[in-house]
Amino acid sequence: MFCTLSQPRFVIGEVVQQDARAFVSWDFCFALHGRQLQIHGGTLFWLDAAGLICEHRDYWDAAEGVYEQLPVLGWLLRRLKQHMA
């Protein structure tokens, strides 16, 4: 990602922790071919006894974040989303 994208960074939103689990919402901001893009997502962390991350799972919408940005496929996905709304 650091070789392909310009200015990649995560902006942390809300952090919620309960016992040995934590959820963090985030925005992944970057530039690709001079175009600023942003992907909204979240990560669920499992913490060990020392409070260190021992496992995690990311959640984000690949269609909205990536595929809808592509010229032909993006148009098709946006039309499908409008039709289903």
Side-chain angles (χ1 to χ4, degrees):
M1 120 176 125
F2 291 104
C3 294
T4 307
L5 306 176
S6 298
Q7 306 165 345
R9 69 189 186 287
F10 283 92
V11 178
I12 303 301
E14 189 172 1
V15 177
V16 179
Q17 183 175 354
Q18 182 178 13
D19 302 323
R21 292 189 300 174
F23 186 83
V24 176
S25 65
W26 46 260
D27 291 322
F28 178 54
C29 305
F30 60 96
L32 182 63
H33 304 298
R35 187 171 167 209
Q36 293 292 326
L37 298 169
Q38 182 174 335
I39 298 173
H40 306 289
T43 301
L44 178 61
F45 295 101
W46 287 268
L47 310 173
D48 64 14
L52 301 175
I53 297 167
C54 59
E55 189 176 339
H56 83 280
R57 178 166 292 163
D58 294 321
Y59 297 94
W60 57 284
D61 184 350
E64 178 185 356
V66 178
Y67 303 131
E68 284 185 8
Q69 307 305 318
L70 301 174
V72 176
L73 184 58
W75 177 85
L76 180 62
L77 288 172
R78 287 188 299 276
R79 292 281 292 164
L80 182 60
K81 187 188 286 186
Q82 289 172 350
H83 186 315
M84 293 174 58

